[in-house]
Amino acid sequence: MTNSYSSCRRFALSSVLLLGSAVALTGPVWAYQQAPMLDPLVESGALPPVDERLPAEPAVIEPLESVGKYGGVMKRALTGASGDHNTILRIVAPQSFVRWNPDYTDVVPNVAESWEISDDAREYTFHLRPGIKWSDGEPMTTEDIQFFVEDLLGSDFYGSPPSQFVSGGEIVKIDVIDDYTIKFIFKEPNGLFLFDLASPYGAPPVLWAKHYCSQFHPKYNENIDQLMAEFSQDNWVELFKFRCGTREKGDRWYNPEKPVIEPWVIKEPYTGGATRVVLERNPYFWQVDPEGNQLPYIDRIEYSIVGGTEGVLLEAIGGNIDMQVQNLQEIQNRPLLLENAEKSGYRMIDTVPVGAGSAVIFPNLAHKDPKMRELLNTKDFRIALSHAIDREEIIDLIFLGQGEPWQIGPPEGHALYNETLAKQYTEFDPEAANQMLDELGFDERGSDGFRLDHDGNRISLFVEYNSRDTVMSDIMELVVQYWRDVGIEAKIEAVDNNFFQARNANWDDTIQISGADNGGTEAIWRPIMYVPMEDDSRWGVPWAFWYLSGGTEGEEPPQYVKDRFAAYDKVRASQPGQGQEELMREVLDMTAEAFEVIGISTPLPGQGIVKNGLKNVPDQMPYGFFYLVPQPTMPATYYWDDASGRRG
């Protein structure tokens, strides 16, 4: 299999997105143009001419509407909360070997201009675009990828290596063929690797420039202790992260000196106490438009750091944000955003959900307390909890009437739609819930009306939600009452993002509620709702660790989960297409039978805003973490069309 191919999803937007296509330059290759802000640097000799900064054959990007104009600033906002650094990521990255096309149906060339996949999906050979340079002007070659695989992937840098680069319990091996050709070799077939590389998880091979980051690695610097002391870091791993960052942490944006291959580079870093983050064009960025104009068009990206999602909303309706979806996409924000659009000079754009559901309640089926584990693993108990929920009321009160009762799964009309998985036990039937709880032997109640377990103790559930996600709080306030009506006590607590993730990763929680932004149209390559594949599989985290480590970490799962791992391994080992879909249907059938998690409604449409005058921004785009909205719409092609706007 060579170059790009259609994924197995049958997903289409109502409007066709054409940008991002590879086209031929309309003029001679020497007719490259650069942003005027770079002219003085070239004239002074501080920067080479543009044709010396670009690859011999740069990636040519067809803009959505028109070839753009250089200049200006695009303003956005961060909440400053842990985890919101992804709002930066969504504009500048990932810049991996491959990327998603804008309508999320194809994996297309990017840093790699072509590739081949072996028939057994074990070997992937990538041909990098010769002449790509890091933002400091040094060439990017397979030596940088070798640095990641051989010096970071299997080192203390990772507590355990990312699953994207592991197969059969072994880290991927590489064969460096030349400066621009490299082969990845997996122990077992890996039919999902291209999908992984197109996602945010695919960035690491081209995230760390060896010529710079190797100074923070003990293999290459015998005086590394001096650097650790200089930067007040306890060990080389912390030093490396502090200076070169990690894939998905705020430390990725700490150091303006770190070379990158992204369209904008950090100038004012994202550090403690910062009130804003500023990125400026990368003079060595390796993409051009069809007329040979080096991208990006916009000079600077400026992020104001505000207090919480409410602060982002206030910035938006105040006219201080030029383009943003993140922290604005919740359906509850739509009326206020619409009301202020004309006054604040922006238009609304729609987001199309790609997730498995709007919100999911995740019982911890590997709970450390044996009694609670037994309770949560009782399928009829989970079914009773599901029937006790009035989803229609939640949809009306919280989701503004948008959506329909739903558990989890790919949407109707999708090739992998599974009606049982999506709609079972969604009827609001407190009578059935009460009957099931009685039949489970929980028919005795205390004086307060709450049911007692077999030892005479009150059945009480503890539910956590991410403090950044107020919608989950609103949902659980209602769910608590529904469960109380059938005699089950539930208590809810907001937990800081880092602590929320840590409690989940350590399987210390009882129940968590969270969004399900993935696993709908992405079911095959993002199956965390159906197969415990990582710590976001909140219902079976230790089973994920067991699977990923080949049985050396975590906890051995029950047989029915092992059977699902085996079924999904067949999916991973197959080439994309109908055969892979058939194998995935078996996984979804097994998930429906087990009924591990409790959903609320179908994924909700959302929205973002775009300031009037900002061009080449689609009216509609998918929304999900793997798509990393809006990056696949190629923000490097956004530009200001009116001189009275941010171009000044």
Side-chain angles (χ1 to χ4, degrees), residues 391-575:
R391 290 171 173 81
E392 294 284 4
E393 184 173 60
I394 292 174
I395 290 167
D396 289 341
L397 294 179
I398 298 177
F399 297 151
L400 307 181
Q402 300 292 308
E404 62 180 78
W406 188 264
Q407 299 287 1
I408 56 173
E412 291 191 59
H414 188 273
L416 294 176
Y417 171 63
N418 184 307
E419 183 174 7
T420 301
L421 177 65
K423 297 187 176 181
Q424 64 183 342
Y425 317 127
T426 55
E427 303 87 352
F428 176 49
D429 193 344
E431 182 177 344
N434 275 311
Q435 181 177 344
M436 294 184 75
L437 292 170
D438 287 345
E439 291 174 353
L440 288 171
F442 306 135
D443 50 340
E444 295 294 329
R445 301 193 185 214
S447 59
D448 51 14
F450 288 118
R451 294 177 182 271
L452 306 178
D453 64 19
H454 301 308
D455 295 326
N457 299 314
R458 179 192 297 177
I459 297 175
S460 184
L461 305 177
F462 188 76
V463 185
E464 302 171 351
Y465 68 92
N466 193 318
S467 59
R468 296 187 304 167
D469 201 338
T470 57
V471 173
M472 298 302 135
S473 172
D474 295 339
I475 293 170
M476 278 310 305
E477 291 288 350
L478 291 173
V479 172
V480 164
Q481 185 58 54
Y482 302 145
W483 287 352
R484 180 186 182 90
D485 290 343
V486 297
I488 300 297
E489 180 184 48
K491 301 175 182 179
I492 59 175
E493 181 178 348
V495 181
D496 174 77
N497 178 67
N498 284 340
F499 192 46
F500 183 74
Q501 302 295 348
R503 282 183 57 79
N504 173 58
N506 293 325
W507 63 97
D508 288 328
D509 58 296
T510 300
I511 297 175
Q512 290 188 336
I513 182 170
S514 180
D517 292 338
N518 307 116
T521 56
E522 308 162 320
I524 285 180
W525 60 90
R526 186 67 168 150
I528 60 174
M529 294 290 136
Y530 321 114
V531 186
M533 298 291 295
E534 57 184 70
D535 56 9
D536 273 347
S537 300
R538 301 178 184 278
W539 49 278
V541 171
W543 303 336
F545 293 165
W546 178 89
Y547 174 75
L548 295 174
S549 68
T552 63
E553 299 178 17
E555 180 184 289
E556 184 174 357
Q559 187 60 48
Y560 80 93
V561 175
K562 290 182 182 178
D563 292 342
R564 210 173 318 163
F565 281 138
Y568 186 67
D569 282 343
K570 294 178 182 178
V571 176
R572 296 183 67 179
S574 62
Q575 292 276 10

Side-chain angles (χ1 to χ4, degrees), residues 575-625:
Q575 292 276 10
Q578 291 185 358
Q580 193 178 58
E581 289 177 354
E582 286 297 326
L583 293 168
M584 191 65 198
R585 288 191 187 97
E586 180 182 351
V587 173
L588 297 179
D589 285 340
M590 297 167 79
T591 306
E593 174 61 28
F595 186 64
E596 287 119 343
V597 303
I598 302 170
I600 301 296
S601 80
T602 49
L604 300 177
Q607 67 282 315
I609 64 167
V610 178
K611 201 80 167 182
N612 297 336
L614 187 61
K615 301 298 183 181
N616 286 337
V617 185
D619 294 328
Q620 186 183 72
M621 56 187 75
Y623 184 84
F625 181 68

Side-chain angles (χ1 to χ4, degrees), residues 5-13 17 100-107 192 195 198 352-355 410-411 413-417 517-527 575-578 580-581 584-585 621-628 632:
Y5 57 87
S6 294
S7 74
C8 59
R9 296 156 48 303
R10 315 290 203 261
F11 179 83
L13 300 176
L17 305 176
W100 288 112
N101 69 348
D103 65 2
Y104 207 19
T105 56
D106 258 353
V107 173
L192 307 179
F195 298 146
V352 180
V354 300
H414 188 273
L416 294 176
Y417 171 63
D517 292 338
N518 307 116
T521 56
E522 308 162 320
I524 285 180
W525 60 90
R526 186 67 168 150
Q575 292 276 10
Q578 291 185 358
Q580 193 178 58
E581 289 177 354
M584 191 65 198
R585 288 191 187 97
M621 56 187 75
Y623 184 84
F625 181 68
F626 257 38
Y627 182 83
L628 209 65

Side-chain angles (χ1 to χ4, degrees), residues 314-322 337 339-347 609-612 646:
L314 290 174
E315 288 288 286
I317 65 176
N320 300 320
I321 291 178
D322 296 327
L337 288 171
E339 179 183 341
N340 287 274
E342 183 176 357
K343 177 189 72 174
S344 296
Y346 59 77
R347 64 184 173 92
I609 64 167
V610 178
K611 201 80 167 182
N612 297 336
R646 302 288 189 205

Side-chain angles (χ1 to χ4, degrees), residues 217-228:
H217 195 296
K219 175 179 175 180
Y220 298 94
N221 186 353
E222 62 182 15
N223 299 314
I224 197 166
D225 289 346
Q226 297 176 14
L227 284 178
M228 288 190 292

Side-chain angles (χ1 to χ4, degrees), residues 284-336:
Y284 290 92
F285 191 54
W286 41 277
Q287 294 177 355
V288 299
D289 70 18
E291 295 183 2
N293 299 301
Q294 184 187 31
L295 298 174
Y297 294 132
I298 289 176
D299 290 334
R300 289 160 64 92
I301 311 292
E302 294 182 359
Y303 287 88
S304 57
I305 298 180
V306 300
T309 55
E310 298 84 357
V312 177
L313 183 61
L314 290 174
E315 288 288 286
I317 65 176
N320 300 320
I321 291 178
D322 296 327
M323 189 280 158
Q324 190 145 331
V325 172
Q326 190 74 354
N327 295 314
L328 297 175
Q329 78 276 10
E330 299 292 351
I331 194 71
Q332 292 82 358
N333 294 330
R334 192 171 188 85
L336 189 60

